[in-house]
C-alpha cells in the first residue's frame, strides 16, 4: 500500500497541475514579457528594464497607481468599519438558529451580477437619477449634486457597496470563535462593557478584521468595471490603464509591466501595513498601554508616514528618478521583514 | 426583538445593501425611456424587446455553454482537491492548497491579462473554450471551499466500516462517500454556474467575437436608449441568480442535516 503522503499528492495532482498550467505559467509569462519590448507588431525578446523605469517615472502611471491605492484604501476602511458592527450584531445578538439566514441575506447581493450592481450605481447617482431627482422633489437641494458621479467618490461608494459581504464573513467567523466565557470572566473581574470589548473582543476579532482587509483591498486595487462605469476621468484606476495598453495602444509588455508592478506594490503596501501595525501595537503595550501607550504609538505611526511621504515626494529629485522609488520601497520592505523576524505575534493576533 | 442602535444599524445596512437591486424591477416595468423618478406607468415592452434580439440569444447560449462546462470541470477539480485536503496529510499541503485557492484573492484583471497574453503569444485564438478554462480556474477555489465543508462533516468511521466489511476503496467511495457529499456537489455545481454566468472581466478579455451575456450587456450600456431593456434583462438575471442560490443553500443545509450537524453559517 502506498504511503499517505503519496496518496494525498496523487489525489490533489489534477487540480494542482491545472492551477500550475493556467495560473503559475501565465503569471511567469507576464513577468517575462514585462522585460521585453514591443516594436509595432513584433515582440523584441531582448532583456530590458526600460518598461519598469518608464512605469516608475512617468507621472501618469504614478498618479494612477497612487490613486488606485488611495481609492482601495478608502474602500477598505469604509467597508470594514461598516461591516464590523453588522458582523458583531449577527454573532452576539441574533438567535443562533437565525444566524445562517442573516448570512444568507447578506451574501445574496454579492452573488448577483456584479456588472449590473455597479451599473445601477451609475443610474442611482446620475445627474437626473433617483438620488438627485428624489432630493430635489423633497426640496433638500435646488440643483443636482455634481460631486457624486464620475469621480473618485463614486468609485469609493460603489466598490464599498459591492465588497460589503466580503468584509462581514471573515469578521463574523472570528467573532464566532471567541469563547464567551472569556467575556464573562472579564466582566466578573470588574471591567466595564466598553473595556471588555476593547481589551478582549477586539484583539480576538483582529485576525478576522485583517482577513477582511486583505479580501477587500487586493481585488479592489485591480478593479476595472467600477472606474470605467462611474469613475469618469478623475476616477480612472490602474486596471483601466493596463487594459488600454494591451488593447488600445497595443503595447503588451507595458501592460504586463503595469500588472506586475501593481501586484508587487500591493504586496509591499500590505507587508508594510501589517508589520507596522504589529510594531505600533507592541509599542503601545511597551509604553504602558492605555491612553499613554496609544499616544506613543500614534506619534510613531505619524512620524513614519510623514517621513515616508516626504521621501517619496523628494526622493526622485534627490536620487535618480526610477532608482529613488526602488531604494525607498526596498528600505520600507527591509523594515517590514526586520519587524516580522524580530517581533513575535502579539496578543492582537497580528 | 429589542430595538437597540445596533439592530437599527444592521437593518439599515441590509436595506442599503438591497436598495440598488430593488430599483431594477421598478425601472424594468416603467413605461419611460429615462431612468428617473417619478415612474411613468406599467409596461412589459422592455421584456418583449428582449425576445426579438438575436444577438442576445446567441450571447445567452454562449454563457449557458460556458457556465455548464465550468461548473462541471470546477466541481471535478474541486472534488480531487477537497478530498485530498480533508483526508490525507502530505508535504507542503498548506502551500499547495493555498496556491490553488489563490484566484480567490488575486484581482481578476491579473488572471485575465496573464491568460490573454499567453494565448496571444502562442498565437491561439481566444474564444469560448478559453473562457471556460479561465472560469474553471476562478471557480475551483469556491468548489473546494464548499466540498471541503461536506467532506469534513462526514463521519470517517462510516468509510472505515465499509472497508472492514470487505468493500474495495472505489466501491466504498461510490456507495458511502459519494452519497454523503452529493448535496455538497450539487451546491458546488450551482455556485460555480452562478459565478461563471455573472463573470465579466475574464470573459471580456478572452471573448473575442463570441460575447457572453455580461459582455453583451456591457456593450449595451453605452446606448442610453437601451437602458430600460438592460434593466429588464438585469431583473431576469437577478431573479435567476437568487433562485439558484436558494437552491444551492437548500442542498447545503440538506447535506448538513444528513451529516447530523447543526447549521453554523453560509457558504464561505
Amino acid at each position: 500500500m502506498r504511503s499517505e503522503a503519496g496518496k494525498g499528492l496523487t489525489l490533489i495532482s489534477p487540480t494542482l497541475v491545472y492551477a500550475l498550467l493556467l495560473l503559475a505559467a501565465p503569471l511567469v509569462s507576464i513577468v517575462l514579457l514585462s522585460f521585453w519590448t514591443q516594436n509595432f507588431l513584433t515582440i523584441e525578446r531582448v532583456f530590458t528594464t526600460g518598461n519598469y523605469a518608464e512605469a516608475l517615472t512617468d507621472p501618469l502611471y504614478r498618479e494612477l497607481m497612487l490613486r488606485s491605492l488611495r481609492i482601495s484604501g478608502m474602500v477598505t476602511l469604509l467597508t470594514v468599519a461598516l461591516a464590523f458592527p453588522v458582523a458583531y450584531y449577527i454573532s452576539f445578538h441574533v438567535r443562533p438558529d437565525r444566524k445562517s439566514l442573516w448570512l444568507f441575506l447578506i451574501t445574496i447581493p454579492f452573488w448577483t451580477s456584479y456588472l449590473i450592481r455597479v451599473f445601477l450605481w451609475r443610474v442611482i447617482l446620475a445627474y437626473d437619477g433617483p438620488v438627485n431627482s428624489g432630493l430635489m422633489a423633497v426640496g433638500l437641494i435646488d440643483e443636482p449634486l455634481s460631486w457624486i458621479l464620475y469621480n473618485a467618490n463614486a468609485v469609493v461608494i460603489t466598490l464599498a457597496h459591492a465588497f460589503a459581504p466580503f468584509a462581514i464573513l471573515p469578521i463574523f467567523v472570528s467573532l464566532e470563535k471567541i469563547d464567551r466565557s472569556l467575556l464573562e470572566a472579564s466582566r466578573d473581574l470588574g471591567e466595564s462593557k466598553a473595556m471588555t470589548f476593547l481589551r478582549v473582543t477586539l484583539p480576538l476579532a483582529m485576525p478576522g478584521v485583517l482577513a477582511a482587509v486583505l479580501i477587500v483591498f487586493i481585488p479592489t486595487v485591480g478593479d476595472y468595471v467600477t472606474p470605467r462605469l462611474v469613475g469618469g476621468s478623475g476616477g480612472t484606476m490602474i486596471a483601466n490603464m493596463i487594459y488600454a495598453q494591451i488593447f488600445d495602444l497595443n503595447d503588451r509588455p507595458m501592460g504586463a509591466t503595469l500588472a506586475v508592478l501593481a501586484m508587487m506594490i500591493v504586496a509591499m503596501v500590505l507587508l508594510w501595513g501589517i508589520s507596522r501595525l504589529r510594531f505600533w501595537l507592541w509599542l503601545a503595550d511597551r509604553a504602558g498601554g492605555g491612553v499613554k501607550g496609544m499616544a506613543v504609538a500614534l506619534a510613531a505611526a505619524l512620524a513614519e508616514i510623514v517621513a515616508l511621504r516626504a521621501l517619496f515626494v523628494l526622493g526622485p529629485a534627490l536620487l535618480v528618478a526610477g532608482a529613488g522609488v526602488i531604494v525607498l520601497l526596498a528600505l520600507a520592505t527591509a523594515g517590514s521583514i526586520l519587524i516580522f523576524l524580530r517581533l513575535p505575534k502579539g496578543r492582537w493576533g497580528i | 426583538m429589542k430595538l437597540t442602535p445596533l439592530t437599527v444599524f444592521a437593518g439599515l445596512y441590509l436595506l442599503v445593501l438591497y436598495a440598488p437591486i430593488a430599483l431594477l424591477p421598478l425601472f424594468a416595468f416603467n413605461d419611460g425611456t429615462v431612468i428617473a423618478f417619478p415612474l411613468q406607468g406599467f409596461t412589459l415592452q422592455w421584456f418583449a424587446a428582449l425576445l426579438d434580439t438575436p444577438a442576445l440569444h446567441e450571447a445567452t447560449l454562449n454563457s449557458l455553454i460556458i457556465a455548464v462546462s465550468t461548473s462541471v470541470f470546477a466541481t471535478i477539480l474541486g472534488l480531487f482537491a477537497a478530498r485530498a485536503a480533508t483526508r490525507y496529510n502530505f508535504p507542503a499541503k498548506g502551500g499547495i492548497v493555498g496556491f490553488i485557492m489563490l484566484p480567490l484573492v488575486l484581482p481578476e484583471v491579473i488572471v485575465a491579462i496573464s491568460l490573454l497574453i499567453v494565448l496571444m503569444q502562442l498565437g491561439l485564438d481566444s474564444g469560448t473554450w478559453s473562457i471556460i478554462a479561465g472560469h474553471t480556474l476562478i471557480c475551483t477555489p469556491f468548489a473546494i471551499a464548499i466540498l471541503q465543508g461536506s467532506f469534513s462533516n462526514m463521519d470517517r468511521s462510516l468509510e472505515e466500516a465499509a472497508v472492514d466489511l470487505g468493500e474495495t476503496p472505489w466501491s466504498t467511495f461510490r456507495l458511502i462517500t459519494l452519497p454523503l457529499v452529493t448535496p455538497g456537489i450539487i451546491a458546488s455545481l450551482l455556485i460555480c454556474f452562478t459565478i461563471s454566468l455573472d463573470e465579466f472581466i475574464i470573459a471580456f478579455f478572452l471573448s473575442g467575437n463570441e460575447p457572453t451575456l455580461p459582455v453583451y450587456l456591457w456593450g449595451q450600456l453605452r446606448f442610453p436608449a437601451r437602458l430600460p431593456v438592460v434593466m429588464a434583462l438585469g431583473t431576469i438575471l437577478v431573479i435567476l441568480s437568487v433562485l439558484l442560490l436558494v437552491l444551492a443553500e437548500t442542498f447545503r443545509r440538506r447535506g448538513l442535516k444528513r451529516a447530523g450537524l447543526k447549521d453554523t453559517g453560509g457558504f464561505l
Side-chain angles (χ1 to χ4, degrees):
Chain A
M1 206 170 168
R2 276 178 304 161
S3 68
E4 182 175 312
K7 273 189 190 165
L9 282 172
T10 316
L11 199 54
I12 207 166
S13 60
T15 319
L16 180 62
V17 168
Y18 191 79
L20 284 174
L21 280 177
L22 275 105
L23 185 62
L27 286 180
V28 169
S29 65
I30 61 166
V31 173
L32 269 180
L33 189 66
S34 71
F35 288 107
W36 293 340
T37 45
Q38 183 143 5
N39 189 357
F40 190 51
L41 281 178
T42 52
I43 302 280
E44 298 273 357
R45 296 175 189 221
V46 181
F47 179 88
T48 168
T49 52
N51 291 324
Y52 285 94
E54 194 188 331
L56 287 172
T57 47
D58 190 314
L60 176 64
Y61 298 144
R62 248 171 95 114
E63 167 61 24
L64 283 179
M65 197 60 236
L66 287 178
R67 185 191 290 156
S68 302
L69 290 175
R70 205 162 49 229
I71 289 179
S72 285
M74 275 162 73
V75 170
T76 311
L77 208 67
L78 197 65
T79 315
V80 174
L82 290 175
F84 194 93
V86 179
Y88 184 87
Y89 173 77
I90 300 173
S91 180
F92 282 82
H93 293 275
V94 171
R95 273 190 3 225
D97 55 321
R98 290 260 181 85
K99 283 181 184 175
S100 65
L101 177 69
W102 266 87
L103 288 179
F104 186 57
L105 280 178
I106 280 167
T107 37
I108 281 183
F110 156 64
W111 295 106
T112 51
S113 183
Y114 179 65
L115 201 58
I116 289 176
R117 272 183 296 142
V118 173
F119 174 69
L120 282 169
W121 277 101
R122 177 154 105 179
V123 173
I124 292 170
L125 300 174
Y127 196 73
D128 53 1
V131 167
N132 277 326
S133 55
L135 284 177
M136 288 204 325
V138 182
L140 276 174
I141 51 172
D142 294 327
E143 54 185 271
L145 304 169
S146 57
W147 52 268
I148 54 172
L149 189 60
Y150 300 128
N151 55 30
N153 295 335
V155 180
V156 172
I157 294 174
T158 309
L159 281 176
H161 182 264
F163 280 80
F166 275 111
I168 290 184
L169 292 177
I171 299 175
F172 170 78
V173 169
S174 67
L175 284 172
E176 280 290 283
K177 279 192 195 143
I178 295 176
D179 186 349
R180 301 302 196 255
S181 58
L182 289 176
L183 307 180
E184 280 168 31
S186 162
R187 298 278 282 141
D188 287 346
L189 291 170
E191 288 281 35
S192 67
K193 253 187 173 165
M195 284 313 276
T196 300
F197 175 79
L198 280 178
R199 299 186 59 176
V200 184
T201 315
L202 199 57
L204 288 173
M206 222 45 193
V209 173
L210 195 63
V213 166
L214 295 182
I215 260 177
V216 175
F217 186 76
I218 301 174
T220 46
V221 172
D223 195 78
Y224 173 84
V225 173
T226 306
R228 245 331 263 288
L229 283 180
V230 301
S233 60
T236 313
M237 285 163 69
I238 194 75
N240 307 100
M241 182 47 96
I242 295 175
Y243 179 87
Q245 290 290 345
I246 292 175
F247 286 96
D248 304 335
L249 306 170
N250 201 20
D251 190 350
R252 289 177 217 158
M254 197 45 164
T257 307
L258 291 176
V260 172
L261 264 183
M263 276 192 292
M264 277 171 57
I265 290 175
V266 166
M268 280 178 184
V269 166
L270 288 172
L271 199 65
W272 180 84
I274 296 167
S275 66
R276 293 315 189 271
L277 203 57
R278 183 188 284 188
F279 174 69
W280 295 330
L281 288 170
W282 171 82
L283 204 64
D285 280 352
R286 271 303 290 270
V291 178
K292 191 182 151 217
M294 232 151 74
V296 171
L298 213 62
L302 276 176
E304 177 164 0
I305 291 168
V306 168
L308 273 180
R309 203 186 138 69
L311 271 174
F312 203 82
V313 175
L314 294 175
L318 296 175
L319 299 150
V320 190
V325 178
I326 293 173
V327 167
L328 199 63
L329 290 176
L331 275 179
T333 310
S336 308
I337 293 170
L338 200 69
I339 290 173
F340 278 127
L341 289 179
R342 302 286 308 203
L343 266 186
K345 215 180 229 188
R347 66 188 175 89
W348 288 74
I350 285 180
Chain B
M1 198 186 273
K2 258 193 333 196
L3 206 64
T4 59
L6 207 55
T7 318
V8 175
F9 180 79
L12 277 176
Y13 191 94
L14 264 191
L15 212 64
V16 174
L17 214 53
Y18 278 90
I21 299 173
L23 287 179
L24 267 177
L26 278 187
F27 290 108
F29 292 109
N30 181 34
D31 192 7
T33 45
V34 186
I35 309 290
F37 287 113
L39 299 174
Q40 307 279 315
F42 184 83
T43 179
L44 286 174
Q45 59 165 316
W46 311 125
F47 287 92
L50 287 177
L51 288 176
D52 47 42
T53 319
L56 171 67
H57 303 160
E58 264 171 50
T60 310
L61 187 65
N62 245 337
S63 270
L64 286 178
I65 293 171
I66 291 169
V68 169
S69 323
T70 299
S71 64
V72 173
F73 293 145
T75 304
I76 292 172
L77 289 176
L79 269 173
F80 281 118
R83 174 71 172 168
T86 45
R87 178 73 174 73
Y88 300 103
N89 268 318
F90 45 90
K93 183 175 168 180
I96 291 176
V97 175
F99 172 68
I100 293 171
M101 300 298 261
L102 194 61
L104 217 51
V105 286
L106 216 55
E108 275 181 4
V109 171
I110 302 286
V111 177
I113 78 144
S114 56
L115 282 174
L116 176 77
I117 279 175
V118 167
L119 285 180
M120 282 174 156
Q121 295 314 110
L122 292 177
L124 295 170
D125 267 336
S126 51
T128 307
W129 68 272
S130 56
I131 303 178
I132 295 174
H135 281 184
T136 303
L137 184 72
I138 58 159
C139 286
T140 304
F142 287 96
I144 294 175
I146 295 167
L147 292 167
Q148 242 177 351
S150 317
F151 277 122
S152 59
N153 285 340
M154 196 179 59
D155 190 348
R156 277 269 288 278
S157 53
L158 292 174
E159 288 180 311
E160 283 159 14
V163 174
D164 288 346
L165 292 170
E167 294 288 350
T168 62
W170 170 243
S171 62
T172 306
F173 183 78
R174 196 168 52 85
L175 293 170
I176 308 292
T177 319
L178 210 54
L180 282 170
V181 294
T182 300
I185 292 176
I186 295 173
S188 158
L189 285 171
L190 289 169
I191 290 292
C192 293
F193 181 87
T194 316
I195 295 173
S196 170
L197 200 65
D198 270 354
E199 203 285 332
F200 170 68
I201 287 293
I202 291 175
F204 183 48
F205 275 56
L206 299 180
S207 64
N209 45 20
E210 298 167 352
T212 64
L213 205 48
V215 177
Y216 172 79
L217 208 66
W218 175 262
Q220 296 299 301
L221 296 182
R222 272 176 300 158
F223 310 113
R226 297 285 289 168
L227 287 191
V229 182
V230 168
M231 296 298 236
L233 184 58
T235 309
I236 295 174
L237 282 180
V238 167
I239 291 172
L240 195 70
S241 301
V242 172
L243 281 180
L244 284 172
L245 286 173
V246 172
L247 212 60
E249 172 75 2
T250 319
F251 275 105
R252 197 187 61 84
R253 289 194 185 182
R254 189 176 293 174
L256 282 176
K257 212 180 256 173
R258 205 177 281 190
L261 288 168
K262 279 207 49 106
D263 199 0
T264 47
F267 287 118
L268 291 173

